[in-house]
Amino acid sequence: MSMSHLYGTDGEDGVEMESFEVSDWDLQNEFNPHRQRHRQTKEEATYGVWAERDSDDERPSFGGKRSRDYSAPVNFISAGLKKSAAEEVSDEDSDEDEKPVKQEEIPKEFVPKKLKTGGNFKPSQKGFVGGTKSFMDFGSWERHTKGIGQKLLQKMGYVPGKGLGKNAQGIINPIEAKQRKGKGAVGAYGSERTSQSLQDFPVVDSEEEAEEEFQKELSQWRKDPNGGKKKPKYSYKTVEELKAKGRINKQLSTPQKELSQVKVIDMTGREQKVYYSYSQISHKHNIPDDSPQQLLGKDSKPQGFALPELEHNLQLLIDITEQEIIQSDRQLQYERDMVVNLTHEIQKMSEILSHEETAISNLSKVLDMVEECERRMQPSCENPLTLDECAKIFETLQDKYYEEYRMSDRVDLAVAIVYPLMKDYFKNWDPLKVNISLVYLQFPFDGDCTYGTEIIAKWKSLLENDQLLSHGGQDLSTDAFHRLMWEVWMPYVRNVVAQWQPRNCGSMVDFLDSWVHVIPVWILDNILDQLIFPKLQKEVENWNPLTDTVPIHSWIHPWLPLMQARLEPLYSPIRNKLANALQKWHPSDSSAKLILQPWKDVFTPGSWEAFMVKNIVPKLGMCLNELIINPHQQHMDAFYWVIDWEGMISVSSLVGLLEKHFFPKWLQVLCSWLSNSPNYEEITKWYLGWKSMFSDQVLAHPSIKDKFNEALDIMNRAVSSSVGGYMQPGARENIAYLTHTERRKDFQYEAMQERREAENMAQRGIGMAASSVPMNFKDLIQTKAEEHNIVFMPVIGKRHEGKQLYTFGRIVIYIDRGVVFVQGEKTWVPTSLQSLIDMAK
């Protein structure tokens, strides 16, 4: 091999000199792992660069080329025996096996792989893989030495009791050796790892990464064959990337927009630049070359193509093009969204159009039916419209054209069509006359009080507004039925009431009872307050209990179910008139009791007791004062007149009368009789006879018991005091037996009363316990209504969405799944039970 590329020549003599510069040959051969290596001889190992070399060596030693000594003797080397052809072929195969393999020919599975340091060892593992072997004898061999091995291991981080390795995992088996094929370098024949190392340190399959790193490191030491010039690298953007960038910028949030106005100083280039937003940095010109531009030195050549203005313009054109692409994409997306929106609008408008067409068709049919009704209502029509036929037409409108019927103004429609027919229907109506008919009239005259209730009930379901139930005030302009009843039906009722006599109350009460479930509540209240009550009040003022043969309760009490508390103002003048009539009354006249008895349950308990104490009790006291007690000839009429009022006056008032006006005289007569040697059998019968005149309720009173016990004590003292005088045989025993019998009866009666009271209390407790646990929400409302004295009852024939309506005081409610609903201004409002009670009060 010629060495002219390594040595230069000095002049014409041709003396070769060694060059110390690193040439391309050095670089290529230094990093070539497959180059033929020079095997060092023993002489070269001894003398180094001063050893003698042959001229065929790849590179001469330092110190210049030495001339070969041709005077030295010739050395022959023994060639051995000639081999056979088969042996030569096998030697050639072995030589081929020993040839170095190129890097490109090595398969990937033999490329070195990255190791996972520590293998499957977990850092939390305390012992090494060798198990929990005792360390008592560990390093016992060092007792014969100075212990330098243990010290060296501890300096390198070894902890006694743990294994070796990065994670102190250790190994169980000793390190295995694997025989390498041929004579190549390490790794030339693939992976040389043993099964033990693969088990303890598994590999990461990253051959491509290792190959890329190797080629990258290798390329750093190679000289660029193109003279050191690198190709410029350009960054390319696709249209899809630009669109994605535009969408991201479009979704910029408010805080990012605020940050986009921040002043930015860019010192990454050769000169300091100031930007007033982060977005301007994105428009910064990117130099295609990765390496920054170097300053021009002495020997460096100036850049041959430097046109910053052109580069700026080109970059500007690129930015404009990018913005146009982004704007076009946004416009396209906007148009697509607009198409979708318009499609939905078309579908919505088509649905609205079909709905409007259906509504127009229905309204045209409704209009035809209304016009037909108007035509038949003309006086010249051969087939006039009747009230029943009109009701059927309205039922058809409600069933088939419900929406149009609810949307229409039913008040005006009813005023125009139904009102004239209703006036003709009730033209000859007189509910207070019974069983009278005029055959020759066009409309039959019916004196029945139920006449018209069925047809009015039908019109109520057709015309009444469900959302505005009129209970306690109603706007007539919003409900056709209420206006119909007020303007058509009420005038006839006013005429009837004006001709009605209050003492003939039966027909009027029956009439209102039959219509109470049909007419609105506020109309019924108006009839009772404005029409009925004034006539009753006037009649009460004209009533005289001394001259009138008809008792007042016969024409007042029938109004109690309808009017209830409305009759309270009449009770005071009635009591005054009765009190005036009783001024000259005597208890012997029993007609007073017949007149007063029906009012006992009508007047309040306080007012009734006050009336009795003021007007009746004094008369009864005078009657008892006139009573003469004579055991031999007793007249009992006066006593019977007083006892007959027992149910009318209270027990306490009656007991007071007896204690004041009867028992003093009775005990005095008993004492005088006992002082005159009486017959004790007669006294016993007299005592028992008077006691039998009183009821059990009066006898149970403690004051009455004390009086009769006092009589027994007087009789016992009379029997026991007459020791020396004459005594009737057996009198003492009879009186003692009578006393014992009476005391025993009193004791049994008291025990029986106590037992009854206990049973009543037990029954009351069971009833209260049963009533305290309502079965449902309706029972709970009923219980609360009873506790607060509020009327709670269903409204007959009145429903809302299939739910029964109830009156809670003056409020109309309905119950749905445990919730009570109260009528509001436009709809039903759910409310609590306490709020309902407060509203009712």
Side-chain angles (χ1 to χ4, degrees), residues 80-355:
L81 299 175
K82 183 176 179 59
K83 296 180 181 180
S84 63
E87 293 177 351
E88 291 179 357
V89 171
S90 62
D91 291 340
E92 290 177 0
D93 295 337
S94 63
D95 292 339
E96 291 178 0
D97 294 337
E98 293 176 0
K99 289 182 181 180
V101 183
K102 296 182 179 180
Q103 182 73 16
E104 292 79 11
E105 298 176 358
I106 300 175
K108 292 185 178 180
E109 58 267 23
F110 297 106
V111 177
K113 301 179 180 179
K114 292 185 179 180
L115 297 178
K116 287 184 178 178
T117 59
N120 295 327
F121 180 77
K122 297 181 179 179
S124 61
Q125 186 175 349
K126 296 182 179 180
F128 57 92
V129 297
T132 59
K133 186 177 180 181
S134 175
F135 295 94
M136 298 298 295
D137 298 330
F138 181 77
S140 61
W141 48 272
E142 287 190 350
R143 70 184 61 174
H144 306 291
T145 64
K146 296 181 179 181
I148 188 66
Q150 182 77 4
K151 294 179 180 178
L152 291 176
L153 288 173
Q154 291 179 356
K155 287 182 179 181
M156 289 184 287
Y158 171 73
V159 179
K162 295 185 179 181
L164 299 178
K166 180 179 180 181
N167 296 321
Q169 70 273 21
I171 60 175
I172 300 176
N173 301 322
I175 300 175
E176 297 180 358
K178 183 176 181 181
Q179 184 178 2
R180 186 184 308 140
K181 297 179 181 180
K183 299 179 180 180
V186 177
Y189 300 98
S191 176
E192 298 183 2
R193 299 190 62 187
T194 62
S195 59
Q196 177 189 356
S197 64
L198 291 174
Q199 181 179 358
D200 295 339
F201 302 94
V203 298
V204 178
D205 193 7
S206 58
E207 296 85 355
E208 293 80 1
E209 297 179 1
E211 179 67 21
E212 292 178 359
E213 293 178 1
F214 175 75
Q215 293 296 336
K216 184 177 180 180
E217 294 176 358
L218 184 62
S219 63
Q220 292 178 354
W221 295 96
R222 289 182 179 178
K223 188 175 181 180
D224 193 356
N226 296 330
K229 295 182 179 180
K230 294 184 179 180
K231 295 181 180 180
K233 296 181 180 179
Y234 299 95
S235 60
Y236 299 96
K237 293 183 180 179
T238 62
V239 177
E240 298 298 331
E241 292 177 354
L242 289 177
K243 292 180 181 179
K245 180 181 177 182
R247 296 189 187 100
I248 294 174
N249 293 337
K250 187 177 180 180
Q251 297 175 357
L252 187 64
S253 60
T254 303
Q256 292 176 342
K257 291 180 180 178
E258 295 176 357
L259 291 175
S260 64
Q261 304 298 327
V262 178
K263 181 179 179 181
V264 181
I265 301 175
D266 184 10
M267 302 182 68
T268 58
R270 291 176 296 175
E271 298 178 357
Q272 175 180 329
K273 297 181 180 180
V274 179
Y275 301 99
Y276 293 96
S277 65
Y278 286 110
S279 61
Q280 293 182 2
I281 300 179
S282 62
H283 299 295
K284 179 182 175 183
H285 176 64
N286 296 325
I287 300 175
D289 194 359
D290 292 337
S291 60
Q293 187 175 0
Q294 302 292 335
L295 296 175
L296 296 177
K298 291 181 179 181
D299 299 334
S300 62
K301 296 180 181 181
Q303 189 175 358
F305 189 78
L307 297 175
E309 293 82 0
L310 181 59
E311 293 178 359
H312 173 73
N313 294 337
L314 290 175
Q315 185 64 34
L316 187 60
L317 292 174
I318 292 173
D319 295 342
I320 293 173
T321 305
E322 290 180 357
Q323 293 298 324
E324 290 179 353
I325 294 174
I326 293 173
Q327 291 295 334
S328 300
D329 178 64
R330 290 179 179 175
Q331 185 66 25
L332 178 61
Q333 187 64 32
Y334 172 76
E335 297 295 339
R336 289 176 179 173
D337 294 341
M338 184 61 69
V339 170
V340 174
N341 189 16
L342 292 176
T343 304
H344 289 297
E345 288 291 334
I346 290 173
Q347 295 178 356
K348 185 176 179 181
M349 294 305 294
S350 61
E351 293 177 359
I352 293 175
L353 182 61
S354 61
H355 179 71

Side-chain angles (χ1 to χ4, degrees), residues 782-792 808-809 837 840-841:
Q782 186 173 1
T783 303
K784 293 295 182 181
E786 292 175 356
E787 292 177 359
H788 295 85
N789 295 325
I790 299 174
V791 178
F792 175 70
F808 192 84
I837 294 172
K841 289 184 176 181

Side-chain angles (χ1 to χ4, degrees), residues 499-655:
Q499 300 173 5
W500 166 68
Q501 295 298 326
R503 299 197 181 192
N504 298 327
C505 63
S507 59
M508 182 60 70
V509 171
D510 294 339
F511 162 68
L512 293 179
D513 284 338
S514 60
W515 283 86
V516 68
H517 303 302
V518 179
I519 60 178
V521 175
W522 66 275
I523 293 181
L524 178 62
D525 295 341
N526 181 269
I527 294 173
L528 296 177
D529 295 336
Q530 303 297 329
L531 301 179
I532 302 298
F533 182 78
K535 293 186 74 69
L536 291 177
Q537 189 176 19
K538 185 177 180 181
E539 192 67 21
V540 168
E541 293 176 356
N542 297 329
W543 172 68
N544 188 358
L546 298 177
T547 59
D548 289 340
T549 58
V550 179
I552 189 172
H553 66 269
S554 63
W555 48 273
I556 293 293
H557 288 183
W559 291 104
L560 288 174
L562 285 174
M563 303 188 70
Q564 296 179 355
R566 291 186 178 92
L567 296 176
E568 284 288 343
L570 302 178
Y571 297 156
S572 180
I574 290 174
R575 285 194 295 267
N576 292 333
K577 288 179 177 289
L578 291 175
N580 294 330
L582 291 173
Q583 289 181 357
K584 298 180 180 181
W585 170 76
H586 190 269
S588 61
D589 185 5
S590 62
S591 62
K593 182 181 178 181
L594 297 177
I595 295 175
L596 295 177
Q597 189 173 6
W599 294 98
K600 183 177 184 297
D601 297 330
V602 176
F603 294 158
T604 59
S607 61
W608 174 259
E609 183 66 19
F611 181 82
M612 290 287 106
V613 171
K614 182 179 179 181
N615 301 286
I616 302 299
V617 173
K619 302 286 184 178
L620 298 179
M622 292 173 60
C623 186
L624 285 177
N625 285 332
E626 298 174 357
L627 177 65
I628 298 174
I629 300 176
N630 186 3
H632 302 288
Q633 188 178 1
Q634 183 67 51
H635 296 282
M636 301 295 295
D637 294 336
F639 183 81
Y640 289 148
W641 297 338
V642 174
I643 293 299
D644 193 32
W645 285 88
E646 181 181 351
M648 300 292 291
I649 62 177
S650 62
V651 177
S652 60
S653 299
L654 181 60
V655 170

Side-chain angles (χ1 to χ4, degrees), residues 700-754:
H701 197 276
S703 300
I704 305 300
K705 286 184 180 180
D706 293 340
K707 295 299 181 181
F708 281 103
N709 290 331
E710 184 179 355
L712 290 175
D713 293 337
I714 293 174
M715 288 188 289
N716 286 320
R717 286 197 301 270
V719 173
S720 61
S721 61
S722 57
V723 178
Y726 173 77
M727 178 63 62
Q728 182 181 356
R732 184 177 301 175
E733 289 79 4
N734 292 335
I735 298 300
Y737 177 75
L738 175 63
T739 304
H740 177 72
T741 303
E742 294 298 319
R743 300 287 171 82
R744 186 177 62 183
K745 288 181 179 180
D746 293 342
F747 178 76
Q748 292 177 352
Y749 182 79
E750 291 178 357
M752 184 176 61
Q753 289 296 111
E754 292 179 357

Side-chain angles (χ1 to χ4, degrees), residues 426-439:
F426 288 104
K427 182 172 60 176
N428 298 317
W429 178 50
D430 188 358
L432 301 183
K433 294 182 180 180
V434 184
N435 297 328
I436 298 176
S437 62
L438 298 178
V439 181

